[in-house]
């Protein structure tokens, strides 16, 4: 209701939802969360990938065997990750923190806190706590969780506004049975599968993983259908990604 000639209040536009992906290496976000990223982007959400390293030492064996230099490999992996992120509809920010090992430092933590505050994520995706085959992945997990907490603290000296407590989802590691991973959430990525596959094919340095992660999406899709109940109209070939939740789900009804 307005009084006199006072103009009616114009409702403020609702800001687009924001997803933050904290990933150890240049390829991790594609293999493990490419479907979730593509789905969010297709809904018009903002997706930001915090890529802590290029995976230049531990995940670029083909380039090393070809005799490339460290600088060349970093440039190669950066180009691959940029093209993959663009295919998925996301923005990628590179930290160049150095892999094998990825080492947490106060400076790196500060930079990540600033990304949290700048992006104000509604959802965070990152690595699970365990991975006995690659110490960089648990290191990225610890950085992601610590920065999330610090970004909530009004007294923490970093640029930007404090954040709330966005839910965190752990994406699936390469060998889940060795990493304490349980597929607690199965995400239907059928409608964006071709987009994820296109992004995967941007990663020529790890071509040996293309078929592996295609097969994994098929298997998780079978499990999704098995747990979804009848008559939901799921595609004959349903593709899926698996996630874990480290924090309780907040809900007003059980579903």
């Amino acid at each position: 209701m307005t009084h006199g000639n006072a103009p009616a209040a114009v409702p403020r536009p609702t800001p687009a939802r924001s997803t933050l992906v904290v990933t150890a290496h240049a390829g991790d976000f594609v293999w493990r969360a490419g479907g979730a990223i593509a789905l969010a982007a297709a809904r018009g959400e903002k997706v930001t990938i915090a890529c802590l390293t290029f995976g230049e030492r531990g995940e670029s064996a083909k380039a090393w065997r070809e005799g490339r230099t460290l600088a060349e490999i970093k440039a190669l992996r950066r180009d691959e990750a940029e093209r993959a992120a663009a295919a998925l509809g996301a923005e990628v920010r590179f930290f160049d923190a150095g892999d094998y090992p990825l080492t947490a430092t106060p400076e790196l933590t500060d930079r990540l806190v600033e990304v949290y505050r700048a992006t104000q994520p509604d959802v965070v995706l990152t690595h699970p706590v365990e991975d006995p085959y690659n110490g960089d992945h648990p290191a990225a997990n610890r950085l992601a969780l610590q920065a999330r907490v610090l970004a909530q603290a009004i007294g923490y000296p970093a640029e930007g506004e404090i954040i709330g407590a966005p839910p965190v989802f752990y994406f699936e590691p390469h060998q889940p049975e060795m990493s304490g991973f349980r597929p607690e959430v199965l995400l239907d990525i059928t409608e964006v599968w071709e987009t994820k596959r296109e992004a995967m094919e941007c990663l020529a340095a790890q071509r040996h993983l293309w078929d592996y992660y295609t097969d994994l999406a098929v298997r998780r899709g079978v499990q999704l259908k098995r747990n979804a109940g009848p008559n939901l109209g799921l595609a004959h070939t349903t593709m899926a990604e698996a996630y874990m939740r480290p924090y309780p789900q907040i809900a007003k009804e059980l579903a």
Side-chain angles (χ1 to χ4, degrees):
M1 179 176 180
T2 60
H3 298 278
N5 296 322
V10 177
R12 295 182 179 181
T14 302
R17 280 175 55 85
S18 172
T19 295
L20 176 61
V21 185
V22 181
T23 178
H25 309 111
D28 293 337
F29 70 90
V30 182
W31 314 122
R32 294 159 171 78
I37 293 168
L39 282 171
R43 292 192 296 263
E45 300 178 17
K46 178 178 176 57
V47 184
T48 306
I49 301 161
C51 188
L52 301 180
T53 85
F54 296 113
E56 64 272 14
R57 295 189 183 277
E59 299 195 349
S60 303
K62 180 175 179 289
W64 284 106
R65 292 191 182 103
E66 291 171 350
R68 296 178 184 264
T69 66
L70 179 61
E72 290 173 336
I73 293 171
K74 284 186 177 183
L76 172 70
R77 298 311 308 274
R78 180 183 187 121
D79 175 68
E80 289 182 351
E82 286 177 338
R83 288 188 289 109
L88 296 171
E91 173 195 354
V92 60
R93 304 186 186 186
F94 298 102
F95 286 66
D96 193 13
D99 71 329
Y100 275 59
L102 168 61
T103 303
T105 64
E107 293 77 17
L108 181 56
T109 300
D110 282 347
R111 291 172 64 192
L112 193 53
V113 169
E114 289 176 4
V115 171
Y116 269 94
R117 290 186 173 179
T119 60
Q120 293 289 310
D122 296 284
V123 174
V124 176
L125 310 179
T126 193
H127 298 268
V129 173
E130 299 179 45
D131 191 336
Y133 297 99
N134 193 319
D136 289 357
H137 296 159
N141 167 278
R142 292 189 296 272
L143 279 161
L145 297 189
Q146 182 183 37
R148 174 182 172 276
V149 171
L150 295 176
Q152 298 174 58
I154 195 169
Y156 188 80
E159 294 294 327
E161 296 295 324
I162 61 171
I163 67 170
V168 178
F169 292 84
Y170 293 163
F171 41 65
E172 185 167 2
H174 190 65
Q175 296 198 46
E177 64 278 359
M178 298 298 294
S179 302
F181 182 87
R182 290 173 54 87
E184 297 171 342
V185 178
L186 293 168
L187 181 68
D188 188 342
I189 63 169
T190 309
E191 66 183 85
V192 295
W193 167 251
E194 293 302 327
T195 301
K196 177 172 179 175
R197 177 71 193 202
E198 177 186 349
M200 286 165 52
E201 292 181 5
C202 292
L203 304 176
Q206 294 178 285
R207 184 167 184 162
H208 60 287
L209 295 179
W210 294 2
D211 289 344
Y212 177 91
Y213 280 99
T214 297
D215 293 342
L216 179 60
V218 172
R219 294 199 303 276
R220 292 307 187 198
V222 170
Q223 294 170 344
L224 185 151
K225 289 193 293 184
R226 177 66 180 82
N227 287 276
N231 303 318
L232 294 183
L234 295 172
H236 175 68
T237 301
T238 299
M239 311 296 271
E241 289 173 344
Y243 293 86
M244 284 182 67
R245 296 198 63 156
Y247 300 114
Q249 178 179 348
I250 306 304
K252 292 186 177 180
E253 63 181 84
L254 296 178

